[in-house]
Structure formats: structure tokens, C-alpha cells
Amino acid sequence: MAGSGSAVSAMRWLRVLVVVVAALLCSWQAGIAILTGVPPPAGDPVPDIDTHAHGRPADQLHAWAAPRAPALGMPATALEAYAYAAKVAAVENPKCHLAWTTLAGIGMVESHHGTHHGAQIAPNGDVTPPIRGVVLDGSGGNLRIIEDGNSSLVEGSGFARAMGPMQIIPQTWRLYGVDAHNNGVKSPDNIDDAALAAAGYLCYRGGDLATPRGWMTALRAYNQSDLYARTVRDWATAYGAGHPL
């Protein structure tokens, strides 16, 4: 993946055989409640681009994103990142059927598209200051996730915190983190890297997100709350109609 020197290598995680995942998770999936209105609409189609382009590949979508972003109430850079990640998923794992609207719904719920608490997105996708979730020490009904204190992804407490605009926990980032720019650096605080990592995770866990069960399975893997899935669905549905919720 990162540092391999090949954009193709960096995207290999999207080619995971979802059949294996389905076999491992079938007993869990059987108990998932399926919401109405899922999957949400796919929104405006994303134009074809060179997903292996050098530099920031999502820049190819600026002409598509710039006129849509103001109406959707999000930064154009964020919309480019979501659309690029969805396009990579369509190219590398066409059976996934992940729409940019779902990624945008998650990005809105998790960090207001990388702008939580005044954070800003640089032209290269870096989000500053870094966005961090609560300490996952088991208090307040949160998960308890212990992390290696020597890890560069942990900030001293010994417990994990969700990171970046897509709020990915360190354990998940180590497995799914990806270098969207193919520059040898992968960062959960870069919205391009984060959106692409989220796409890989959703495709891996959900299989076919064009089906209600696949979409719900993916969202429940991202966050186990049904309220979370409903909120993402509602935002994604609104984005599919060309406006915020």
C-alpha cells in the first residue's frame, strides 16, 4: 500500500473477496434490522477519471464538485474526496456499489466534512487542526479500546481515539489506511486518505452496498448505532437530492 510506489498497489484492499466476509459474518447479519429508505440515492453521477493519476487525483473532479458543493453545504475539497473514493471503489471493486452520498453522510455526521470546531481543509486535503474523538476508555457508554502507548496513532492516554474527518480508530486505520495521493504518506487527517480508507472498510464489511442488507451491514460495522445509520441515511438522501438536510 503506502510507500509501494504504485497507485495500483495502494488500492488493492478494494479487491478483497467479499464472499469471505459474508461467510464470516452471516450469523451476525441475520439479526440486523433493515431501515427503510436504504441504500440512499446515489446522487449525481461522478465522471470518469484517471484513478491512478499522480499528485492529488481528486483534483480531477474539481469542475464537477465546485458548482455542487455550495448547494450541498460542504467544502468542494471534501466533495471531491468523497466522489474520488467512490469512483476508486467503482473501478477497483465494482460489486461494492458505494455511492459518494453515503461517504458524504458519514463525513457530515463524523466531522461536518472536516470542519468540526473550526478545522479547515487545505487544498491537498489535510485537515487542521487534527480532529479527535473522545478517549475510548469505556466511560460514558463508550467503547474501551486500549492502544500501544508507543504507537504514533495514540496521544498519551493509552486508549484509542477516533481520528480525522472520517473518525477512524487506530486499529482500523492500521488495517485500512491508504495513501490516496501515492506520495508515500497516509494520514487519517487527510480527507482524501480518510475517505478512501472509509470506502475500503465499507466495501469490505458490507459487500454489495446497493442492497439494503449490505448497506446496513457496512454502516453497523462503521458504528453499531441504528440512530447513526438513520442519521447517515437521512443526510445521504438529502445529498442525493442536491441539498443538505
Side-chain angles (χ1 to χ4, degrees):
M1 290 186 184
S4 67
S6 165
V8 175
S9 297
M11 308 306 180
R12 278 181 187 162
W13 46 263
L14 280 169
R15 296 194 182 104
V16 174
L17 293 177
V18 294
V19 127
V20 174
V21 180
L24 291 173
L25 301 179
C26 61
S27 60
W28 177 50
Q29 289 183 12
I32 289 180
I34 306 298
L35 300 177
T36 59
V38 300
D44 289 343
V46 179
D48 291 335
I49 57 172
D50 178 4
T51 57
H52 299 154
H54 294 289
R56 181 179 182 252
D59 283 340
Q60 298 172 88
L61 293 169
H62 184 72
W64 177 87
R68 290 172 171 82
L72 296 172
M74 68 178 74
T77 307
L79 181 55
E80 292 162 6
Y82 304 141
Y84 174 70
K87 180 57 69 173
V88 171
V91 170
E92 301 291 341
N93 188 355
K95 293 182 179 180
C96 174
H97 302 118
L98 172 64
W100 65 263
T101 51
T102 291
L103 290 169
I106 292 172
M108 173 60 199
V109 173
E110 296 290 3
S111 72
H112 286 237
H113 309 299
T115 66
H116 182 65
H117 281 183
Q120 296 184 334
I121 309 176
N124 72 343
D126 286 343
V127 175
T128 54
I131 298 170
R132 294 293 180 267
V134 298
V135 176
L136 297 175
D137 59 3
S139 63
N142 293 309
L143 295 172
R144 177 182 171 89
I145 304 178
I146 298 174
E147 282 288 336
D148 180 358
N150 295 322
S151 171
S152 62
L153 300 177
V154 179
E155 299 172 357
S157 69
F159 294 98
R161 299 175 71 182
M163 308 177 297
M166 302 302 279
Q167 288 291 276
I168 300 173
I169 63 173
Q171 292 174 344
T172 302
W173 181 257
R174 280 194 287 270
L175 291 172
Y176 296 92
V178 64
D179 169 14
H181 300 168
N182 196 40
N183 61 2
V185 178
K186 57 180 180 180
S187 169
D189 298 310
N190 180 281
I191 198 165
D192 299 325
D193 292 357
L196 195 53
Y201 183 72
L202 292 166
C203 287
Y204 183 86
R205 299 305 296 264
D208 184 358
L209 272 68
T211 67
R213 184 168 296 279
W215 194 89
M216 282 299 303
T217 299
L219 265 291
R220 285 299 301 270
Y222 209 95
N223 186 303
Q224 295 181 10
S225 165
D226 283 338
L227 175 60
Y228 180 89
R230 286 196 297 272
T231 307
V232 171
R233 174 203 62 188
D234 292 347
W235 277 101
T237 298
Y239 292 143
H243 56 79
L245 190 61

